[in-house]
Amino acid sequence: MMEELISGIQYGFEWETTSYIERKIYYSGQPVIYYQFKTDASGRMIHVVPDGCVDLLFCCHPGKPSARVCGTVLQGKELYFESDTTYFGVRLSARLSLLLPNLPLKEVIEIQVPFEDSLSKYKDTGAIIAELEGFSERITSFEKLCMPILSGDVRSIRMIDYCLTSMQRSNGSVTIRELAEDTGYSERYIRSKFEQSLGISPKLYNRIIRFQRSLGGIVRGASSLTDVAMEGGYFDQSHFMKEFKSFSQLTPIQLRKHLKPSSSFL
């Protein structure tokens, strides 16, 4: 379950598009989710939810290909996508997101930035990816063109990496005080470094972890909502419902009603 948390769930891409497919690959122990979908002829608004990750999103429209860095949102919202267009995406783990070259994550929170403005070294990647036809071919091409993104050395973010691991392993329940005791740094220093690195507070990141854990329980499991809330670390049903709706725009009951058979996962 924890591996799923690290790489995030975005149910809108799967449920509100056609031909959705995804594949998870690990690089030096870090999960990366590759996915692809197509919008319908009218275009549409697609739900996105907080996951603490960065997505590299490629619009494969033959006439106007593009590539964008998409930071995490902080609450549920809808984003517009071009009509009748195939999109290819790469969802990086939180750690790999931190290692994007010359791109502080706080600069992309809740926004989408063109590659030419944020990852200029890879500015031609969008056009190359768009020219390919198959999902597997796009993955192979991305690996060839962008391997430095996938093979970052987490030692450069050792303290933050430790905090991320502790927060994920505790299901978002570890406190700043406990992190300070474990690392020997002050609470103020940890909070400052965390916000500088991820662009969000440790408290909010813990909340996102709990939300994603409960989201996984609803989308991928058959547990009762009471069990999902307990496993997610929520104090009571009221807290669970309020937090979930803030992050997803739907209550857990509404989301469960939207469930449909899983798409293809390779």
Side-chain angles (χ1 to χ4, degrees):
M1 175 62 74
M2 196 55 62
E3 293 172 352
E4 296 293 338
L5 280 176
I6 298 171
S7 44
I9 295 173
Q10 291 291 344
Y11 60 83
F13 289 169
E14 179 179 351
W15 298 353
E16 300 170 6
T17 64
T18 61
S19 305
Y20 181 87
I21 192 169
E22 73 174 42
R23 182 184 302 169
K24 180 184 289 185
I25 300 178
Y26 288 82
Y27 302 90
S28 301
Q30 293 300 311
V32 171
I33 290 181
Y34 294 97
Y35 57 92
Q36 184 169 284
F37 59 82
K38 187 173 182 178
T39 56
D40 58 32
S42 61
R44 68 176 306 145
M45 302 296 287
I46 297 178
H47 283 90
V48 294
V49 298
D51 60 12
C53 300
V54 162
D55 282 40
L56 307 180
L57 191 62
F58 300 87
C59 173
C60 299
H61 192 292
K64 46 182 177 181
S66 65
R68 295 173 286 171
V69 178
C70 306
T72 186
V73 295
L74 301 183
Q75 61 182 24
K77 61 172 55 180
E78 292 179 304
L79 299 179
Y80 178 78
F81 287 77
E82 295 287 344
S83 63
D84 196 23
T85 298
T86 295
Y87 285 86
F88 172 75
V90 184
R91 184 167 305 128
L92 304 176
S93 70
R95 290 169 179 79
L96 290 180
S97 298
L98 282 171
L99 297 171
L100 287 170
N102 303 312
L103 182 61
L105 294 193
K106 62 183 179 181
E107 294 184 3
V108 293
I109 293 291
E110 294 209 300
I111 64 173
Q112 302 175 41
V113 184
F115 264 41
E116 52 264 34
D117 296 338
S118 53
L119 296 175
S120 58
K121 178 180 179 180
Y122 305 99
K123 63 181 180 180
D124 297 326
T125 308
I128 296 172
I129 292 290
E131 290 179 354
L132 303 172
E133 292 295 329
F135 182 52
S136 294
E137 288 81 0
R138 287 183 171 127
I139 293 175
T140 299
S141 179
F142 181 85
E143 289 178 325
K144 180 179 179 181
L145 295 167
C146 303
M147 185 51 70
I149 291 177
L150 302 171
S151 57
D153 187 351
V154 298
R155 287 178 297 180
S156 64
I157 55 167
R158 183 167 293 171
M159 190 273 283
I160 295 299
D161 180 56
Y162 178 86
C163 291
L164 289 173
T165 299
S166 297
M167 296 164 88
Q168 289 155 358
R169 286 178 176 172
S170 72
N171 190 32
S173 65
V174 68
T175 65
I176 298 298
R177 176 177 296 180
E178 290 169 331
L179 291 174
E181 292 174 351
D182 290 345
T183 63
Y185 293 101
S186 70
E187 295 179 39
R188 181 177 180 180
Y189 179 81
I190 290 175
R191 187 177 291 107
S192 174
K193 292 297 289 185
F194 200 94
E195 292 178 355
Q196 287 176 20
S197 299
L198 275 81
I200 58 178
S201 69
K203 181 178 181 179
L204 178 54
Y205 189 76
N206 269 336
R207 290 173 58 205
I208 290 173
I209 288 175
R210 291 194 296 270
F211 163 70
Q212 279 283 327
R213 174 71 179 262
S214 62
L215 179 61
I218 293 173
V219 173
R220 307 299 186 211
S223 302
S224 69
L225 293 182
T226 298
D227 289 340
V228 169
M230 291 181 61
E231 292 171 2
Y234 292 97
F235 301 116
D236 53 46
Q237 284 288 320
S238 176
H239 180 213
F240 172 49
M241 296 290 184
K242 181 179 179 181
E243 191 90 332
F244 198 94
K245 187 170 185 179
S246 172
F247 281 139
S248 71
Q249 293 188 316
L250 299 171
T251 67
I253 294 173
Q254 290 171 329
L255 182 65
R256 181 153 276 178
K257 288 180 178 179
H258 281 74
L259 283 171
K260 70 177 185 178
S262 297
S263 300
S264 299
F265 294 85
L266 299 181

